[in-house]
Amino acid sequence: MLTTMLPWQPFPIMTLTVRQFLAGRSARVVTVLALLPALFALIYRINSEWATPFNFLVEPVFLGLFSPTLLPIMVLILATSALGNEIEDRTLPYLTLKPRARARIILEKYAGIMLVAWPTITLGLVLTWLIARGAQGPTRLVGRGLEQPDLVPVLTAMVVASTVGILAFAAIFLAVSLFVPRALLAGIIYAFGWESLLGRFLPGIRLISVRHYVQSIFVRMVDDPSVMIGSAFSRNAAVWTMAMTIVLALALAVWRLRRLNLD
């Protein structure tokens, strides 16, 4: 493993992390999950009479499937394996033996997660948007006439909101992997139980649900009266809250790594 950390590589741990993802099953599983919305978009193209492309992308795709379920699961798979596999394989001590600050290890692992998660997930969203955009769905009343609403703001909102979600989930699950031995299982329970189920129906949980902040950013950016969620935060409030969450989660991960018994 250490032979891959060449001295002229400025970010060896990040490079190693990306290589591990691409050589293992994690990146392939995430790619399949990222393409699921595109599969649904193909099905929608076959029979698009029940919804406009705008409504399809907003309701069943982003608000219904992607943000509450697929997004946390995809990031979870990568984030919990970034350090979790190092701990299980007992290779983490080799990283800490090098004269590197614990903060640098965490930040490079975090960057490695982002380098795989962001382009894969974004590609899935763009492909879904392109497929749905070509559907001949029913028109709706916009302004004073019947027309198809502009879908470019929807794509922009999906990409920006999902990017914030990827950043937040990656930091949270990276920290969790240093505290919980079976972080993947715990994360799946969290993603389905907290983010996907309880977060939908219990208003109080929304305040500490990443899903709700991601959806708030999406709704505010789309800026369409027909696109609404309950108790949506303002875009700035959601972004700043997620930024603070990311910083706190990464700081917690650094603190835990410094105190972790690696013997």
Side-chain angles (χ1 to χ4, degrees):
M1 180 187 69
L2 295 179
T3 56
T4 61
M5 295 186 185
L6 303 177
W8 57 82
Q9 291 179 334
F11 305 108
I13 297 176
M14 181 188 71
T15 303
L16 173 63
T17 302
V18 173
R19 288 179 178 176
Q20 288 174 332
F21 285 148
L22 297 180
R25 292 179 296 179
S26 298
R28 292 194 289 270
V29 172
V30 170
T31 300
V32 171
L33 293 176
L35 293 176
L36 276 180
L39 176 62
F40 292 137
L42 286 173
I43 297 173
Y44 165 70
R45 284 287 297 270
I46 298 174
N47 179 19
S48 60
E49 296 179 356
W50 59 276
T52 66
F54 179 89
N55 291 334
F56 170 76
L57 289 169
V58 169
E59 292 294 340
V61 172
F62 194 87
L63 296 180
L65 174 67
F66 180 82
S67 59
T69 305
L70 288 182
L71 180 60
I73 291 297
M74 288 186 288
V75 181
L76 168 70
I77 292 171
L78 296 173
T80 55
S81 62
L83 280 171
N85 289 345
E86 301 279 4
I87 296 174
E88 291 182 5
D89 298 339
R90 299 184 182 276
T91 55
L92 186 57
Y94 293 100
L95 297 180
T96 57
L97 284 175
K98 289 287 185 177
R100 296 186 180 90
R102 297 297 190 268
R104 179 175 176 180
I105 295 176
I106 294 297
L107 291 176
E108 288 198 40
K109 284 288 185 180
Y110 183 66
I113 297 168
M114 294 303 303
L115 284 176
V116 175
W118 188 85
T120 304
I121 295 172
T122 302
L123 177 62
L125 287 175
V126 172
L127 184 59
T128 302
W129 181 83
L130 287 173
I131 295 172
R133 185 186 186 188
Q136 297 296 322
T139 57
R140 69 169 192 170
L141 184 62
V142 178
R144 296 184 177 180
L146 290 172
E147 60 183 57
Q148 292 286 3
D150 186 8
L151 296 182
V152 174
V154 178
L155 176 62
T156 304
M158 288 195 300
V159 172
V160 172
S162 65
T163 299
V164 174
I166 295 168
L167 288 166
F169 279 126
I172 293 171
F173 291 137
L174 184 62
V176 168
S177 68
L178 291 172
F179 285 89
V180 182
R182 296 182 180 274
L184 181 59
L185 177 60
I188 290 175
I189 295 174
Y190 164 81
F192 281 106
W194 190 274
E195 293 288 348
S196 186
L197 295 178
L198 296 179
R200 292 173 185 256
F201 307 112
L202 299 180
I205 290 181
R206 295 172 183 171
L207 296 176
I208 46 178
S209 169
V210 175
R211 172 197 62 84
H212 190 64
Y213 290 93
V214 170
Q215 292 185 346
S216 295
I217 295 171
F218 174 78
V219 167
R220 299 304 185 188
M221 291 192 66
V222 171
D223 193 23
D224 188 289
S226 67
V227 181
M228 299 175 60
I229 61 172
S231 304
F233 298 104
S234 69
R235 183 172 58 185
N236 289 339
V239 169
W240 279 109
T241 302
M242 287 296 93
M244 290 186 290
T245 300
I246 293 166
V247 172
L248 289 175
L250 293 177
L252 185 61
V254 172
W255 176 86
R256 176 59 176 169
L257 185 59
R258 286 173 177 168
R259 287 156 178 78
L260 194 64
N261 184 5
L262 300 175
D263 295 333

